[in-house]
Amino acid sequence: MALQAGGVSDDVARRLRERGIRPSVQRVAIARVALASHRHPSADEVWEQVKERLPMVSRATVYNTLNRLVEEGLLRSFASAQGHTVFDPNTAPHHHLVDDATGTIYDLPWEALAVDGVDALEGFEVRDFQVVLHGRPTRRSR
Amino acid sequence: MALQAGGVSDDVARRLRERGIRPSVQRVAIARVALASHRHPSADEVWEQVKERLPMVSRATVYNTLNRLVEEGLLRSFASAQGHTVFDPNTAPHHHLVDDATGTIYDLPWEALAVDGVDALEGFEVRDFQVVLHGRPTRRSR
DNA sequence: GCACTTTTTAGACCAAGTCTAAACATTGAG
DNA sequence: CTCAATGTTTAGACTTGGTCTAAAAAGTGC
């Protein structure tokens, strides 16, 4: 197998080590794909991509690693509109816009929308929230 | 099998007929459960409840009927935080609060929150939206 | 009552995700 | 370096939510 360019994978390995995750070859490869992704991939989509470089990697390892990355706060996961779990390396607060025709999920910056009334909600203690919009992009360039 | 009280099921049958759905015994029983529910049940939860009155009803009929009710606008469906499809008879716009500890989903009235900035979004055409909050109820009485 | 259409049924099938037991890799002590 | 202990990965079995299919049953119109 080809050696990986030092810089990026070292950075990923460091981030894993910081969270107490031993940076095995497999875990670094999986984390590289998942942390760089901007398309909210499912676990199997990550698996496909990782297999291009590391053909013998097993599905269980990909699932276990992704779940571990979520536990350790390096990734977020949530259910897509189709009910499948997808992963998002953007752990900062942001909103989502779902194109129901394609299933694509777009990130919207937190500052793009203002939500008023959360503090005044009666009967609930709110930990966090986001706006989920349904619609479609009007430009191709996204 | 016991006859059903006329009033309610006649009402459900009428609503089905209005949408061009022939009100078979099974479909009325399924719709009665789903339309009366306030707990965002999954299809299998609806199936369990329907079977109490109509033990021979098949899973396929429940799934088909619920999907049909969604198509015809009598129900909404969406993916819960756990990634399972759940059904909601409240088709008016409203927000959701998810208790991650229990998976329970609470409805919040549309007027409880104000979202600002949707019209000003660049690059997207928005069809609808809602706020999804995570937290927990502070009162038992819900 | 009879041909036709619609609905329901049981169970096969499928896909996403988890679990398991065995193989493999890594580490630290001697 | 060798060994034992521990941690990780693997293939494949398993589970679960959901769909599909072919045949039986029910409903419709003449």
Side-chain angles (χ1 to χ4, degrees):
Chain A
M1 183 194 324
L3 291 176
Q4 296 166 345
V8 177
S9 58
D10 281 1
D11 184 58
V12 170
R14 184 180 52 72
R15 294 185 66 187
L16 295 180
R17 232 180 277 106
E18 279 171 8
R19 313 280 171 144
I21 305 174
R22 185 139 40 145
S24 68
V25 174
Q26 289 89 339
R27 300 216 267 228
V28 171
I30 294 160
R32 286 230 295 167
V33 169
L35 293 175
S37 146
H38 259 269
R39 307 182 177 262
H40 306 87
S42 70
D44 279 350
E45 283 163 0
V46 172
W47 188 33
E48 287 307 320
Q49 256 192 275
V50 171
K51 275 195 291 191
E52 289 172 14
R53 306 201 146 240
L54 214 57
M56 296 304 289
V57 75
S58 80
R59 209 153 83 102
T61 298
V62 174
Y63 276 78
N64 289 339
T65 301
L66 290 174
N67 288 337
R68 188 83 189 278
L69 294 175
V70 170
E71 277 169 29
E72 299 296 340
L74 290 173
L75 281 182
R76 282 195 173 179
S77 73
F78 56 90
S80 74
Q82 292 81 48
H84 299 149
T85 301
V86 299
F87 296 88
D88 188 348
N90 182 357
T91 56
H94 60 283
H95 306 291
H96 280 145
L97 187 142
V98 180
D99 183 345
D100 293 309
T102 65
T104 309
I105 300 165
Y106 300 91
D107 284 359
L108 299 182
W110 184 253
E111 310 76 42
L113 300 172
V115 179
D116 201 37
V118 173
D119 296 337
L121 275 183
E122 290 284 323
F124 294 102
E125 187 185 312
V126 177
R127 219 187 47 247
D128 60 70
F129 65 90
Q130 63 161 355
V131 182
V132 177
L133 305 95
H134 292 255
R136 59 173 203 205
T138 51
R139 303 171 190 162
R140 264 300 109 216
S141 58
R142 284 213 160 237
Chain B
M1 187 193 323
L3 292 174
Q4 297 166 344
V8 178
S9 58
D10 280 2
D11 182 58
V12 170
R14 183 180 51 73
R15 294 185 66 188
L16 295 181
R17 233 180 274 108
E18 279 171 7
R19 313 282 171 140
I21 305 173
R22 186 141 37 146
S24 68
V25 174
Q26 290 89 337
R27 299 218 268 227
V28 171
I30 293 161
R32 285 231 296 165
V33 168
L35 293 175
S37 148
H38 259 269
R39 307 183 176 260
H40 307 87
S42 69
D44 280 349
E45 283 164 359
V46 171
W47 188 33
E48 286 306 320
Q49 254 191 280
V50 171
K51 276 197 289 192
E52 289 172 14
R53 306 199 149 242
L54 213 58
M56 296 305 290
V57 75
S58 80
R59 209 155 83 103
T61 298
V62 174
Y63 276 79
N64 289 340
T65 301
L66 290 174
N67 289 337
R68 187 83 188 277
L69 294 175
V70 170
E71 276 169 30
E72 300 296 342
L74 290 173
L75 279 183
R76 282 194 173 180
S77 72
F78 55 89
S80 73
Q82 292 80 49
H84 299 146
T85 301
V86 299
F87 296 89
D88 187 347
N90 182 358
T91 56
H94 60 285
H95 306 291
H96 279 145
L97 187 141
V98 181
D99 183 343
D100 293 307
T102 65
T104 310
I105 299 165
Y106 301 91
D107 284 358
L108 300 182
W110 183 254
E111 310 77 41
L113 299 172
V115 178
D116 201 38
V118 173
D119 295 337
L121 274 184
E122 289 285 323
F124 294 103
E125 187 184 312
V126 177
R127 219 188 48 247
D128 60 68
F129 65 90
Q130 62 160 356
V131 181
V132 177
L133 305 94
H134 292 255
R136 57 172 205 206
T138 51
R139 304 173 188 159
R140 259 309 103 214
S141 57
R142 285 209 159 236

